[in-house]
Amino acid sequence: MNQFAVRKIVEGNFRYSKLNEYLEERDLEKGRKKLSKNFKTQTDNWDIKKNSEWVLRNYLATKMIMSSTVMLTSLEFGKERNLRVTEPYLIYYSLLNVARAVMFTNPNAEWKNGELINSSHSKTLNILGDAIGQFNKDKGEHIKDLLERAKEYRELFSYKFPANGINDFAVELSEAINICSFLAEFAQFQSEILEVQNFSKENLEQNLDREILKKGFLYKGKKHEFLDDEDWYRLDYIVRKQPFPVSLYFTLSEGMVEDFFGAWYPYDDDENDENYNPDTNWSLIFPMP
């Protein structure tokens, strides 16, 4: 399937590549129609709360994609130095995080006053399989099965630790990168459908509920909580500059990307080759500004 066919379906400016490899044109057209119908239930009842919810959901999705990138580039760095014990964890959570990006941008995943943020792994994988299954049932089952295999692989080394070390049961790094790229583009595709529908309305809601946005920068555990200044700053920037949901690609900004990856830079700013450099490949799975 060529690039023109995808862009014609979506009517956007994002250049897809992996989406073409996993889904046929008929899949994309079928999925687009279902997404448009499902998003219509959102946009028909659009208000300040819906506007705030989807601004936050898209922001969270972009962070999931960037976090997967950090994990995968960290794994590449570790493999070069035979730091193999990190592989099961980094493979699985890189896949899980982009699955969460798909979940956040999917209209069938109910927000439930922010409870979606704390979705279990099994719920996330079920939503992922269903989301892709609306385009192609076999592909949805295949992707879900691969993530479940990666989960079992991670659990082996979390609880049982086979004496033989890494074996053929593993999900290879190259395969994980390809799947992460596909899922990141799938999340982008979903976010574009919402953007097109929302902007087609006569009146564009531009008010945001800060209490809803707070769920994106106030982290609560069972006993402790903390406020992340960077998340607060980025969401406040959206409130001032772009107070409505746009696609993931346009939710990202150059400053946001630089600061996110910069948080993983060596403490002493030493640029020698012995240190992991988060700036190595920002666009490993998704084109960053």
Side-chain angles (χ1 to χ4, degrees):
M1 181 179 176
N2 60 35
Q3 178 65 34
F4 172 76
V6 178
R7 295 183 67 183
K8 184 178 179 182
I9 290 172
V10 184
E11 299 180 356
N13 297 315
F14 183 84
R15 296 190 61 83
Y16 292 91
S17 58
K18 291 297 179 183
L19 208 61
N20 306 336
E21 295 181 13
Y22 286 85
L23 297 170
E24 301 292 335
E25 183 172 357
R26 63 177 180 272
D27 297 328
L28 286 164
E29 180 59 27
K30 180 178 74 172
R32 183 194 65 79
K33 288 179 178 178
K34 290 182 177 179
L35 276 174
S36 296
K37 180 180 179 180
N38 292 333
F39 270 123
K40 191 173 186 299
T41 65
Q42 301 282 335
T43 56
D44 281 352
N45 300 292
W46 203 260
D47 57 14
I48 183 174
K49 292 187 179 298
K50 286 287 185 184
N51 195 48
S52 306
E53 171 192 331
W54 283 97
V55 163
L56 179 55
R57 288 173 69 149
N58 283 358
Y59 174 75
L60 295 173
T62 61
K63 286 207 304 174
M64 291 298 98
I65 292 172
M66 290 191 290
S67 68
S68 289
T69 306
V70 168
M71 290 180 177
L72 290 169
T73 55
S74 294
L75 180 53
E76 287 181 324
F77 177 84
K79 284 178 74 70
E80 291 174 357
R81 290 155 179 80
N82 197 38
L83 191 60
R84 303 185 69 196
V85 73
T86 63
E87 181 177 323
Y89 174 91
L90 292 173
I91 287 285
Y92 173 61
Y93 280 99
S94 63
L95 289 164
L96 180 68
N97 281 1
V98 283
R100 285 169 57 78
V102 172
M103 178 181 70
F104 286 135
T105 54
N106 186 267
N108 295 327
E110 295 183 21
W111 179 243
K112 292 185 177 179
N113 197 32
E115 290 182 21
L116 187 66
I117 297 173
N118 300 314
S119 295
S120 66
H121 294 210
S122 59
K123 180 178 179 179
T124 302
L125 299 190
N126 285 336
I127 291 173
L128 174 70
D130 291 344
I132 300 173
Q134 285 203 322
F135 289 67
N136 183 300
K137 184 177 179 181
D138 290 340
K139 283 291 192 297
E141 291 176 352
H142 170 72
I143 297 295
K144 181 183 175 184
D145 181 70
L146 184 137
L147 266 74
E148 287 175 338
R149 179 157 60 94
K151 182 175 183 287
E152 291 179 8
Y153 173 48
R154 188 269 299 173
E155 289 174 346
L156 275 176
F157 292 91
S158 297
Y159 307 113
K160 300 176 181 178
F161 218 95
N164 195 40
I166 306 296
N167 52 48
D168 293 338
F169 185 72
V171 176
E172 294 293 333
L173 173 60
S174 59
E175 185 176 19
I177 292 173
N178 282 331
I179 296 296
C180 284
S181 298
F182 165 65
L183 295 182
E185 288 193 6
F186 192 90
Q188 163 66 19
F189 188 91
Q190 293 185 138
S191 69
E192 275 202 89
I193 300 298
L194 173 60
E195 179 183 345
V196 169
Q197 285 202 2
N198 191 38
F199 274 75
S200 68
K201 300 201 309 294
E202 184 174 345
N203 296 311
L204 187 65
E205 177 67 57
Q206 298 190 50
N207 294 306
L208 293 165
D209 185 331
R210 290 178 183 268
E211 286 301 309
I212 293 176
L213 298 183
K214 185 186 293 185
K215 298 180 187 297
F217 59 79
L218 183 61
Y219 295 85
K220 294 184 178 182
K222 291 182 179 180
K223 293 184 178 181
H224 306 284
E225 66 180 46
F226 74 93
L227 185 150
D228 187 278
D229 290 336
E230 180 62 23
D231 281 320
W232 176 85
Y233 172 76
R234 291 300 162 191
L235 285 166
D236 185 64
Y237 179 88
I238 290 174
V239 170
R240 292 181 285 110
K241 301 292 185 179
Q242 190 172 276
F244 36 75
V246 293
S247 75
L248 302 189
Y249 183 72
F250 290 111
T251 299
L252 291 161
S253 68
E254 187 173 347
M256 174 182 171
V257 173
E258 288 179 351
D259 289 344
F260 186 94
F261 288 98
W264 300 95
Y265 205 76
Y267 288 117
D268 57 5
D269 291 336
D270 187 353
E271 297 184 8
N272 69 66
D273 293 337
E274 296 302 315
N275 290 327
Y276 165 67
N277 183 356
D279 295 342
T280 301
N281 193 357
W282 288 356
S283 299
L284 178 64
I285 63 173
F286 192 79
M288 299 294 168

